[in-house]
Amino acid sequence: MKSIDRYMARLIAVPLFATLTIASMLLVLDRIGRLFDFVATQGGPITVVWRMLANLLPEYLGLGIPIGLMLGILLAFRRLSSTSELDVMRGVGMSYGRLLRVPYMFAILLAALNIAIVGFVQPKARYYYEQLRFELRTGALGASIKVGEFTHLGDRMTMRIEESRDKGRDLSGIFVHVQTPKNDWIGVTAEHGRFMATDDPNVIIFRLTNGTLVHNRPEFKVPRVLTFSAHDLPINLPKFESFRQRGGRNLEFTLPELAKLGKETGNRELRASSRAEFHFRLVEVATMFLLPLLALALAIPPKRSSSSLGVFLSIVMIVTYHKVNQYASDIGALGRVDPVIALWGPFLVFAGLVFWMYYQIAYVPGGQPIGALERGFGKLGKAILRRLPGRRREEMPA
């Protein structure tokens, strides 16, 4: 790489990765509170929160990577423009096409990464996330035994623990009530207890010390009472319903699986929804190749202007276009419009707008695609300032 390319790469890399990190952290922070509440309500281990967040990260990156690429390139060209370095580069004969060489290197690398994420990683991560939610709701993850509360293990066992030490290895103040299939019940109290694994994964041993066991049956005149110094109580773990296979929704299919389902002729609804999801992912990745041109067109403000309208407009355009694609995908999945037309039609319109904006900035002398918007927002800002309280008094002559 030449020195100018290395310089461009540094200018782009810093805001790109900073934007990507900040966007991911904001999305994670928005979700982490709800996940903690959900896991705590279901009585699951707190460590599962980090597993759920890890499975959500590919979904966040699917939208964060295009935004990071857009802002990285835009802020790099905006800095070149504000420091007049861009004028020097243009003055020595460097075209905008030459300056876009490094941005397109970033675009190609990130587009390849993004298609790997949305095409293969994200569907499986979404399935594993739903599986964790299912296992938390059903207790298959091993719901924690809350200290000081009655915990039901299946339909026949109730347990209460007064105190827990050494991360749950040493339990004290124990009460256990078991209802057997023979219509008899067992009640146990003990000073201390410890869970121990067995060779059978469906059975664990609750080793109790210094306690009393009461066994009662309908034919017993008096319940049998046993005082013990050590007693092993086998506990059959409850059986849980298995989670469904991956592919319950189109969001959980990889790109090759969607392409295969899109050729099926038996189920018309499945075929339409699979094709819609397939083209939605391809359109989202293809849009990344338009972002360097759009970023350049929005990065260079009119002369003697320091407005940040281009930065704001870039985010609005990406998010709006993403929502348009989601709506088009939903329409295509319903079979009302062919998914190819519903998704690639807006893409062609968006591409036409981007190429026009790039043409104006690169080939039209004095062309400024957002110049009219800059002037409009400038007049609007001045009009608002004139009407602020106290502003008129300052402008009145003494």
Side-chain angles (χ1 to χ4, degrees):
M1 295 178 66
K2 296 183 178 180
S3 57
I4 185 64
D5 294 327
R6 291 194 296 270
Y7 180 58
M8 287 291 299
R10 288 196 300 271
L11 288 181
I12 294 172
V14 174
L16 189 158
F17 291 111
T19 302
L20 186 58
T21 302
I22 293 172
S24 300
M25 291 301 297
L26 289 176
L27 292 170
V28 166
L29 290 175
D30 176 64
R31 183 62 67 91
I32 192 170
R34 286 178 287 174
L35 287 181
F36 270 117
D37 291 340
F38 174 72
V39 173
T41 302
Q42 300 298 330
I46 296 300
T47 54
V48 76
V49 173
W50 313 119
R51 294 167 59 189
M52 297 179 79
L53 285 175
N55 286 314
L56 285 174
L57 195 57
E59 184 174 352
Y60 297 154
L61 291 176
L63 182 60
I65 287 177
I67 293 178
L69 175 66
M70 177 75 180
L71 291 181
I73 298 173
L74 188 148
L75 294 176
F77 276 107
R78 182 176 174 80
R79 177 178 174 179
L80 292 176
S81 176
S82 62
T83 58
S84 300
E85 292 176 275
L86 185 61
D87 295 333
V88 174
M89 294 177 184
R90 295 284 291 161
V92 298
M94 297 188 69
S95 66
Y96 283 120
R98 173 63 181 83
L99 292 173
L100 284 171
R101 179 183 298 179
V102 173
Y104 264 100
M105 291 180 184
F106 277 97
I108 292 171
L109 290 175
L110 291 177
L113 175 62
N114 204 24
I115 198 169
I117 291 174
V118 302
F120 300 92
V121 179
Q122 183 176 311
K124 296 181 180 180
R126 191 188 299 271
Y127 171 75
Y128 294 140
Y129 174 79
E130 293 296 334
Q131 185 178 24
L132 286 172
R133 285 177 56 88
F134 172 83
E135 292 177 348
L136 276 173
R137 287 194 298 267
T138 59
L141 270 178
S144 60
I145 298 175
K146 299 179 181 180
V147 175
E149 298 182 14
F150 288 98
T151 302
H152 299 284
L153 300 178
D155 298 330
R156 299 180 178 274
M157 177 175 290
T158 302
M159 182 180 301
R160 191 175 191 272
I161 306 296
E162 288 290 346
E163 192 174 354
S164 174
R165 298 190 185 92
D166 193 18
K167 298 182 179 179
R169 296 184 182 90
D170 184 13
L171 307 174
S172 59
I174 298 164
F175 167 79
V176 181
H177 182 274
V178 182
Q179 189 77 31
T180 69
K182 297 180 180 180
N183 201 25
D184 56 350
W185 56 266
I186 298 174
V188 183
T189 59
E191 292 182 5
H192 300 281
R194 181 186 297 266
F195 288 106
M196 305 184 69
T198 65
D199 295 334
D200 187 351
N202 296 319
V203 178
I204 59 174
I205 295 294
F206 196 13
R207 179 157 293 174
L208 305 171
T209 57
N210 300 331
T212 302
L213 184 148
V214 179
H215 183 200
N216 188 33
R217 283 184 180 175
E219 58 268 24
F220 291 169
K221 295 181 179 180
V222 179
R224 296 178 179 178
V225 180
L226 171 67
T227 302
F228 59 84
S229 59
H231 179 75
D232 288 345
L233 181 66
I235 299 177
N236 294 319
L237 297 178
K239 295 182 179 180
F240 302 100
E241 181 184 355
S242 299
F243 189 54
R244 58 176 171 79
Q245 296 293 321
R246 183 173 62 86
R249 298 182 299 169
N250 285 326
L251 297 176
E252 297 173 0
F253 287 119
T254 62
L255 278 178
E257 291 169 344
L258 287 172
K260 183 179 179 180
L261 290 172
K263 297 178 182 178
E264 297 289 341
T265 57
N267 191 328
R268 184 177 179 180
E269 294 181 359
L270 178 61
R271 181 174 181 269
S273 60
S274 300
R275 292 182 66 228
E277 180 65 22
F278 177 80
H279 287 287
F280 171 76
R281 298 185 196 179
L282 291 184
V283 164
E284 289 285 295
V285 175
T287 303
M288 295 183 64
F289 295 101
L290 300 175
L291 297 184
L293 302 178
L294 180 62
L296 174 62
L298 296 176
I300 304 174
K303 294 300 182 182
R304 295 180 298 278
S305 173
S306 59
S307 172
S308 300
L309 177 63
V311 179
F312 170 76
L313 192 60
S314 67
I315 298 176
V316 171
M317 290 181 69
I318 290 181
V319 174
T320 302
Y321 179 64
H322 176 72
K323 294 300 181 182
V324 169
N325 282 340
Q326 287 182 330
Y327 176 75
S329 177
D330 294 338
I331 295 297
L334 294 175
R336 298 177 182 175
V337 183
D338 188 278
V340 175
I341 298 175
L343 285 156
W344 291 101
F347 173 80
L348 293 177
V349 174
F350 184 71
L353 175 63
V354 170
F355 282 120
W356 176 82
M357 295 177 70
Y358 173 71
Y359 179 81
Q360 291 293 316
I361 197 73
Y363 298 105
V364 176
Q368 181 53 246
I370 60 172
L373 289 176
E374 289 270 5
R375 291 189 294 272
F377 272 86
K379 293 179 180 179
L380 179 62
K382 292 179 180 178
I384 294 174
L385 286 175
R386 284 197 299 269
R387 287 166 175 77
L388 289 177
R391 186 70 177 179
R392 292 181 178 179
R393 291 195 298 269
E394 293 178 4
E395 294 178 353
M396 290 178 62

mmCIF file of all heavy atoms in Angstrom, residues 158-193:
data_model
loop_
_atom_site.group_PDB
_atom_site.id
_atom_site.type_symbol
_atom_site.label_atom_id
_atom_site.label_comp_id
_atom_site.label_asym_id
_atom_site.label_seq_id
_atom_site.Cartn_x
_atom_site.Cartn_y
_atom_site.Cartn_z
ATOM 1 N N THR A 158 -40.863 -31.322 47.339
ATOM 2 C CA THR A 158 -40.740 -29.928 47.759
ATOM 3 C C THR A 158 -39.553 -29.820 48.707
ATOM 4 O O THR A 158 -39.368 -30.673 49.586
ATOM 5 C CB THR A 158 -42.016 -29.449 48.454
ATOM 6 O OG1 THR A 158 -43.119 -29.604 47.567
ATOM 7 C CG2 THR A 158 -41.906 -27.989 48.850
ATOM 8 N N MET A 159 -38.749 -28.762 48.538
ATOM 9 C CA MET A 159 -37.534 -28.611 49.326
ATOM 10 C C MET A 159 -37.404 -27.173 49.804
ATOM 11 O O MET A 159 -37.804 -26.235 49.112
ATOM 12 C CB MET A 159 -36.320 -29.012 48.486
ATOM 13 C CG MET A 159 -34.992 -28.952 49.222
ATOM 14 S SD MET A 159 -33.630 -29.454 48.147
ATOM 15 C CE MET A 159 -34.127 -31.117 47.703
ATOM 16 N N ARG A 160 -36.816 -27.045 50.997
ATOM 17 C CA ARG A 160 -36.528 -25.717 51.532
ATOM 18 C C ARG A 160 -35.159 -25.727 52.200
ATOM 19 O O ARG A 160 -34.864 -26.627 52.985
ATOM 20 C CB ARG A 160 -37.606 -25.288 52.533
ATOM 21 C CG ARG A 160 -37.530 -23.817 52.941
ATOM 22 C CD ARG A 160 -38.706 -23.459 53.834
ATOM 23 N NE ARG A 160 -38.812 -22.016 54.045
ATOM 24 C CZ ARG A 160 -38.194 -21.352 55.011
ATOM 25 N NH1 ARG A 160 -37.425 -22.035 55.882
ATOM 26 N NH2 ARG A 160 -38.334 -20.057 55.143
ATOM 27 N N ILE A 161 -34.347 -24.732 51.885
ATOM 28 C CA ILE A 161 -33.000 -24.599 52.440
ATOM 29 C C ILE A 161 -32.924 -23.280 53.205
ATOM 30 O O ILE A 161 -33.274 -22.229 52.681
ATOM 31 C CB ILE A 161 -31.930 -24.620 51.330
ATOM 32 C CG1 ILE A 161 -32.082 -25.854 50.447
ATOM 33 C CG2 ILE A 161 -30.540 -24.533 51.926
ATOM 34 C CD1 ILE A 161 -31.857 -27.149 51.148
ATOM 35 N N GLU A 162 -32.480 -23.362 54.460
ATOM 36 C CA GLU A 162 -32.378 -22.151 55.285
ATOM 37 C C GLU A 162 -31.131 -21.340 54.983
ATOM 38 O O GLU A 162 -31.160 -20.118 54.970
ATOM 39 C CB GLU A 162 -32.392 -22.528 56.770
ATOM 40 C CG GLU A 162 -33.726 -23.002 57.292
ATOM 41 C CD GLU A 162 -34.748 -21.885 57.379
ATOM 42 O OE1 GLU A 162 -34.341 -20.709 57.293
ATOM 43 O OE2 GLU A 162 -35.946 -22.184 57.518
ATOM 44 N N GLU A 163 -30.010 -22.033 54.702
ATOM 45 C CA GLU A 163 -28.743 -21.312 54.535
ATOM 46 C C GLU A 163 -27.848 -22.071 53.577
ATOM 47 O O GLU A 163 -27.857 -23.308 53.530
ATOM 48 C CB GLU A 163 -28.054 -21.160 55.897
ATOM 49 C CG GLU A 163 -26.879 -20.196 55.891
ATOM 50 C CD GLU A 163 -26.315 -19.965 57.277
ATOM 51 O OE1 GLU A 163 -26.921 -20.476 58.256
ATOM 52 O OE2 GLU A 163 -25.283 -19.285 57.397
ATOM 53 N N SER A 164 -27.089 -21.320 52.780
ATOM 54 C CA SER A 164 -26.184 -21.918 51.804
ATOM 55 C C SER A 164 -24.811 -21.285 51.948
ATOM 56 O O SER A 164 -24.677 -20.059 52.024
ATOM 57 C CB SER A 164 -26.717 -21.708 50.380
ATOM 58 O OG SER A 164 -25.789 -22.162 49.428
ATOM 59 N N ARG A 165 -23.770 -22.127 51.991
ATOM 60 C CA ARG A 165 -22.389 -21.648 52.087
ATOM 61 C C ARG A 165 -21.542 -22.318 51.018
ATOM 62 O O ARG A 165 -21.944 -23.330 50.443
ATOM 63 C CB ARG A 165 -21.789 -21.972 53.464
ATOM 64 C CG ARG A 165 -22.497 -21.330 54.655
ATOM 65 C CD ARG A 165 -21.667 -21.536 55.919
ATOM 66 N NE ARG A 165 -22.348 -21.036 57.115
ATOM 67 C CZ ARG A 165 -23.123 -21.776 57.887
ATOM 68 N NH1 ARG A 165 -23.314 -23.073 57.599
ATOM 69 N NH2 ARG A 165 -23.702 -21.252 58.952
ATOM 70 N N ASP A 166 -20.356 -21.749 50.811
ATOM 71 C CA ASP A 166 -19.370 -22.328 49.889
ATOM 72 C C ASP A 166 -19.988 -22.558 48.510
ATOM 73 O O ASP A 166 -19.886 -23.632 47.922
ATOM 74 C CB ASP A 166 -18.809 -23.640 50.457
ATOM 75 C CG ASP A 166 -17.568 -24.099 49.704
ATOM 76 O OD1 ASP A 166 -16.956 -23.268 49.000
ATOM 77 O OD2 ASP A 166 -17.237 -25.297 49.808
ATOM 78 N N LYS A 167 -20.679 -21.515 47.976
ATOM 79 C CA LYS A 167 -21.286 -21.556 46.647
ATOM 80 C C LYS A 167 -22.247 -22.728 46.475
ATOM 81 O O LYS A 167 -22.291 -23.389 45.432
ATOM 82 C CB LYS A 167 -20.205 -21.610 45.559
ATOM 83 C CG LYS A 167 -19.296 -20.388 45.533
ATOM 84 C CD LYS A 167 -18.282 -20.472 44.424
ATOM 85 C CE LYS A 167 -17.398 -19.233 44.400
ATOM 86 N NZ LYS A 167 -16.378 -19.307 43.317
ATOM 87 N N GLY A 168 -23.009 -23.020 47.517
ATOM 88 C CA GLY A 168 -24.025 -24.067 47.422
ATOM 89 C C GLY A 168 -23.534 -25.454 47.764
ATOM 90 O O GLY A 168 -24.320 -26.414 47.719
ATOM 91 N N ARG A 169 -22.263 -25.588 48.128
ATOM 92 C CA ARG A 169 -21.755 -26.924 48.451
ATOM 93 C C ARG A 169 -22.134 -27.354 49.871
ATOM 94 O O ARG A 169 -22.234 -28.541 50.152
ATOM 95 C CB ARG A 169 -20.229 -26.951 48.292
ATOM 96 C CG ARG A 169 -19.763 -26.701 46.859
ATOM 97 C CD ARG A 169 -18.242 -26.834 46.755
ATOM 98 N NE ARG A 169 -17.769 -26.557 45.413
ATOM 99 C CZ ARG A 169 -17.409 -25.359 44.982
ATOM 100 N NH1 ARG A 169 -17.482 -24.314 45.804
ATOM 101 N NH2 ARG A 169 -16.986 -25.181 43.746
ATOM 102 N N ASP A 170 -22.319 -26.395 50.752
ATOM 103 C CA ASP A 170 -22.663 -26.708 52.149
ATOM 104 C C ASP A 170 -24.019 -26.078 52.461
ATOM 105 O O ASP A 170 -24.147 -24.858 52.545
ATOM 106 C CB ASP A 170 -21.585 -26.164 53.091
ATOM 107 C CG ASP A 170 -21.852 -26.549 54.543
ATOM 108 O OD1 ASP A 170 -22.717 -27.420 54.777
ATOM 109 O OD2 ASP A 170 -21.210 -25.969 55.437
ATOM 110 N N LEU A 171 -25.049 -26.910 52.613
ATOM 111 C CA LEU A 171 -26.405 -26.455 52.870
ATOM 112 C C LEU A 171 -26.796 -26.791 54.303
ATOM 113 O O LEU A 171 -26.394 -27.835 54.832
ATOM 114 C CB LEU A 171 -27.380 -27.121 51.893
ATOM 115 C CG LEU A 171 -27.035 -26.987 50.401
ATOM 116 C CD1 LEU A 171 -27.983 -27.818 49.562
ATOM 117 C CD2 LEU A 171 -27.069 -25.526 49.972
ATOM 118 N N SER A 172 -27.578 -25.949 54.925
ATOM 119 C CA SER A 172 -28.004 -26.205 56.309
ATOM 120 C C SER A 172 -29.459 -25.775 56.474
ATOM 121 O O SER A 172 -29.983 -24.972 55.690
ATOM 122 C CB SER A 172 -27.112 -25.456 57.302
ATOM 123 O OG SER A 172 -27.146 -24.063 57.068
ATOM 124 N N GLY A 173 -30.092 -26.332 57.544
ATOM 125 C CA GLY A 173 -31.497 -26.038 57.782
ATOM 126 C C GLY A 173 -32.371 -26.598 56.677
ATOM 127 O O GLY A 173 -33.097 -25.853 56.015
ATOM 128 N N ILE A 174 -32.357 -27.928 56.500
ATOM 129 C CA ILE A 174 -32.970 -28.551 55.324
ATOM 130 C C ILE A 174 -34.314 -29.180 55.685
ATOM 131 O O ILE A 174 -34.459 -29.836 56.721
ATOM 132 C CB ILE A 174 -32.027 -29.636 54.754
ATOM 133 C CG1 ILE A 174 -30.710 -28.977 54.298
ATOM 134 C CG2 ILE A 174 -32.687 -30.382 53.601
ATOM 135 C CD1 ILE A 174 -29.606 -29.941 54.086
ATOM 136 N N PHE A 175 -35.291 -28.978 54.780
ATOM 137 C CA PHE A 175 -36.578 -29.659 54.877
ATOM 138 C C PHE A 175 -36.924 -30.222 53.499
ATOM 139 O O PHE A 175 -36.826 -29.510 52.489
ATOM 140 C CB PHE A 175 -37.680 -28.708 55.333
ATOM 141 C CG PHE A 175 -39.065 -29.274 55.144
ATOM 142 C CD1 PHE A 175 -39.570 -30.194 56.053
ATOM 143 C CD2 PHE A 175 -39.848 -28.913 54.059
ATOM 144 C CE1 PHE A 175 -40.844 -30.739 55.876
ATOM 145 C CE2 PHE A 175 -41.109 -29.436 53.887
ATOM 146 C CZ PHE A 175 -41.614 -30.357 54.790
ATOM 147 N N VAL A 176 -37.298 -31.524 53.474
ATOM 148 C CA VAL A 176 -37.666 -32.185 52.212
ATOM 149 C C VAL A 176 -38.972 -32.940 52.436
ATOM 150 O O VAL A 176 -39.122 -33.662 53.429
ATOM 151 C CB VAL A 176 -36.566 -33.155 51.737
ATOM 152 C CG1 VAL A 176 -36.980 -33.807 50.420
ATOM 153 C CG2 VAL A 176 -35.232 -32.444 51.590
ATOM 154 N N HIS A 177 -39.897 -32.774 51.493
ATOM 155 C CA HIS A 177 -41.153 -33.525 51.528
ATOM 156 C C HIS A 177 -41.321 -34.225 50.182
ATOM 157 O O HIS A 177 -41.262 -33.582 49.126
ATOM 158 C CB HIS A 177 -42.346 -32.599 51.802
ATOM 159 C CG HIS A 177 -43.652 -33.330 51.890
ATOM 160 N ND1 HIS A 177 -44.427 -33.629 50.782
ATOM 161 C CD2 HIS A 177 -44.313 -33.839 52.960
ATOM 162 C CE1 HIS A 177 -45.510 -34.281 51.164
ATOM 163 N NE2 HIS A 177 -45.469 -34.426 52.485
ATOM 164 N N VAL A 178 -41.527 -35.567 50.221
ATOM 165 C CA VAL A 178 -41.643 -36.369 49.004
ATOM 166 C C VAL A 178 -42.952 -37.141 49.029
ATOM 167 O O VAL A 178 -43.271 -37.807 50.032
ATOM 168 C CB VAL A 178 -40.453 -37.348 48.861
ATOM 169 C CG1 VAL A 178 -40.577 -38.128 47.566
ATOM 170 C CG2 VAL A 178 -39.130 -36.592 48.928
ATOM 171 N N GLN A 179 -43.710 -37.069 47.942
ATOM 172 C CA GLN A 179 -44.938 -37.851 47.774
ATOM 173 C C GLN A 179 -44.634 -38.969 46.777
ATOM 174 O O GLN A 179 -44.243 -38.707 45.646
ATOM 175 C CB GLN A 179 -46.060 -36.962 47.228
ATOM 176 C CG GLN A 179 -47.425 -37.621 47.226
ATOM 177 C CD GLN A 179 -48.054 -37.669 48.613
ATOM 178 O OE1 GLN A 179 -47.820 -36.787 49.422
ATOM 179 N NE2 GLN A 179 -48.823 -38.706 48.881
ATOM 180 N N THR A 180 -44.785 -40.244 47.189
ATOM 181 C CA THR A 180 -44.447 -41.376 46.339
ATOM 182 C C THR A 180 -45.656 -41.826 45.534
ATOM 183 O O THR A 180 -46.808 -41.504 45.875
ATOM 184 C CB THR A 180 -43.925 -42.553 47.182
ATOM 185 O OG1 THR A 180 -45.012 -43.066 47.958
ATOM 186 C CG2 THR A 180 -42.804 -42.102 48.111
ATOM 187 N N PRO A 181 -45.449 -42.599 44.463
ATOM 188 C CA PRO A 181 -46.578 -43.104 43.677
ATOM 189 C C PRO A 181 -47.498 -44.041 44.467
ATOM 190 O O PRO A 181 -48.643 -44.268 44.065
ATOM 191 C CB PRO A 181 -45.893 -43.850 42.533
ATOM 192 C CG PRO A 181 -44.537 -43.259 42.420
ATOM 193 C CD PRO A 181 -44.160 -42.887 43.831
ATOM 194 N N LYS A 182 -47.030 -44.607 45.583
ATOM 195 C CA LYS A 182 -47.849 -45.515 46.384
ATOM 196 C C LYS A 182 -48.740 -44.767 47.396
ATOM 197 O O LYS A 182 -49.258 -45.370 48.324
ATOM 198 C CB LYS A 182 -46.944 -46.494 47.131
ATOM 199 C CG LYS A 182 -46.132 -47.393 46.210
ATOM 200 C CD LYS A 182 -45.255 -48.335 47.010
ATOM 201 C CE LYS A 182 -44.450 -49.244 46.096
ATOM 202 N NZ LYS A 182 -43.576 -50.180 46.876
ATOM 203 N N ASN A 183 -48.870 -43.476 47.225
ATOM 204 C CA ASN A 183 -49.732 -42.647 48.065
ATOM 205 C C ASN A 183 -49.217 -42.545 49.507
ATOM 206 O O ASN A 183 -49.989 -42.355 50.439
ATOM 207 C CB ASN A 183 -51.174 -43.174 48.076
ATOM 208 C CG ASN A 183 -52.167 -42.097 48.495
ATOM 209 O OD1 ASN A 183 -51.895 -40.905 48.330
ATOM 210 N ND2 ASN A 183 -53.300 -42.501 49.045
ATOM 211 N N ASP A 184 -47.910 -42.694 49.698
ATOM 212 C CA ASP A 184 -47.325 -42.430 51.000
ATOM 213 C C ASP A 184 -46.372 -41.246 50.859
ATOM 214 O O ASP A 184 -46.038 -40.823 49.750
ATOM 215 C CB ASP A 184 -46.609 -43.658 51.558
ATOM 216 C CG ASP A 184 -45.547 -44.175 50.613
ATOM 217 O OD1 ASP A 184 -45.508 -43.699 49.452
ATOM 218 O OD2 ASP A 184 -44.742 -45.036 50.993
ATOM 219 N N TRP A 185 -45.951 -40.695 51.957
ATOM 220 C CA TRP A 185 -45.086 -39.531 51.889
ATOM 221 C C TRP A 185 -43.945 -39.669 52.884
ATOM 222 O O TRP A 185 -44.039 -40.397 53.865
ATOM 223 C CB TRP A 185 -45.854 -38.238 52.156
ATOM 224 C CG TRP A 185 -46.590 -38.180 53.456
ATOM 225 C CD1 TRP A 185 -47.893 -38.496 53.670
ATOM 226 C CD2 TRP A 185 -46.061 -37.788 54.731
ATOM 227 N NE1 TRP A 185 -48.232 -38.334 54.977
ATOM 228 C CE2 TRP A 185 -47.125 -37.883 55.670
ATOM 229 C CE3 TRP A 185 -44.815 -37.369 55.180
ATOM 230 C CZ2 TRP A 185 -46.969 -37.585 57.006
ATOM 231 C CZ3 TRP A 185 -44.654 -37.053 56.519
ATOM 232 C CH2 TRP A 185 -45.723 -37.159 57.421
ATOM 233 N N ILE A 186 -42.873 -38.951 52.572
ATOM 234 C CA ILE A 186 -41.676 -38.943 53.411
ATOM 235 C C ILE A 186 -41.322 -37.494 53.709
ATOM 236 O O ILE A 186 -41.229 -36.659 52.793
ATOM 237 C CB ILE A 186 -40.489 -39.645 52.723
ATOM 238 C CG1 ILE A 186 -40.816 -41.119 52.454
ATOM 239 C CG2 ILE A 186 -39.222 -39.515 53.551
ATOM 240 C CD1 ILE A 186 -39.758 -41.837 51.648
ATOM 241 N N GLY A 187 -41.122 -37.195 54.970
ATOM 242 C CA GLY A 187 -40.675 -35.881 55.384
ATOM 243 C C GLY A 187 -39.322 -35.981 56.073
ATOM 244 O O GLY A 187 -39.113 -36.844 56.925
ATOM 245 N N VAL A 188 -38.406 -35.132 55.694
ATOM 246 C CA VAL A 188 -37.051 -35.197 56.234
ATOM 247 C C VAL A 188 -36.621 -33.798 56.662
ATOM 248 O O VAL A 188 -36.828 -32.820 55.939
ATOM 249 C CB VAL A 188 -36.052 -35.742 55.190
ATOM 250 C CG1 VAL A 188 -34.654 -35.860 55.808
ATOM 251 C CG2 VAL A 188 -36.505 -37.075 54.637
ATOM 252 N N THR A 189 -36.025 -33.715 57.835
ATOM 253 C CA THR A 189 -35.346 -32.493 58.275
ATOM 254 C C THR A 189 -33.917 -32.865 58.640
ATOM 255 O O THR A 189 -33.665 -33.957 59.156
ATOM 256 C CB THR A 189 -36.039 -31.860 59.491
ATOM 257 O OG1 THR A 189 -36.053 -32.797 60.572
ATOM 258 C CG2 THR A 189 -37.470 -31.462 59.152
ATOM 259 N N ALA A 190 -32.993 -31.982 58.344
ATOM 260 C CA ALA A 190 -31.576 -32.270 58.636
ATOM 261 C C ALA A 190 -30.837 -30.968 58.871
ATOM 262 O O ALA A 190 -31.237 -29.900 58.387
ATOM 263 C CB ALA A 190 -30.944 -33.041 57.486
ATOM 264 N N GLU A 191 -29.748 -31.089 59.622
ATOM 265 C CA GLU A 191 -28.941 -29.903 59.906
ATOM 266 C C GLU A 191 -28.132 -29.475 58.687
ATOM 267 O O GLU A 191 -28.030 -28.288 58.385
ATOM 268 C CB GLU A 191 -27.999 -30.182 61.082
ATOM 269 C CG GLU A 191 -28.718 -30.367 62.416
ATOM 270 C CD GLU A 191 -27.733 -30.601 63.546
ATOM 271 O OE1 GLU A 191 -26.499 -30.511 63.281
ATOM 272 O OE2 GLU A 191 -28.179 -30.850 64.693
ATOM 273 N N HIS A 192 -27.536 -30.474 58.006
ATOM 274 C CA HIS A 192 -26.665 -30.158 56.875
ATOM 275 C C HIS A 192 -26.958 -31.117 55.726
ATOM 276 O O HIS A 192 -27.527 -32.191 55.924
ATOM 277 C CB HIS A 192 -25.189 -30.257 57.266
ATOM 278 C CG HIS A 192 -24.786 -29.322 58.364
ATOM 279 N ND1 HIS A 192 -24.542 -27.990 58.160
ATOM 280 C CD2 HIS A 192 -24.602 -29.558 59.691
ATOM 281 C CE1 HIS A 192 -24.222 -27.422 59.310
ATOM 282 N NE2 HIS A 192 -24.253 -28.357 60.258
ATOM 283 N N GLY A 193 -26.541 -30.708 54.519
ATOM 284 C CA GLY A 193 -26.731 -31.555 53.349
ATOM 285 C C GLY A 193 -25.814 -31.140 52.225
ATOM 286 O O GLY A 193 -25.258 -30.022 52.208
#
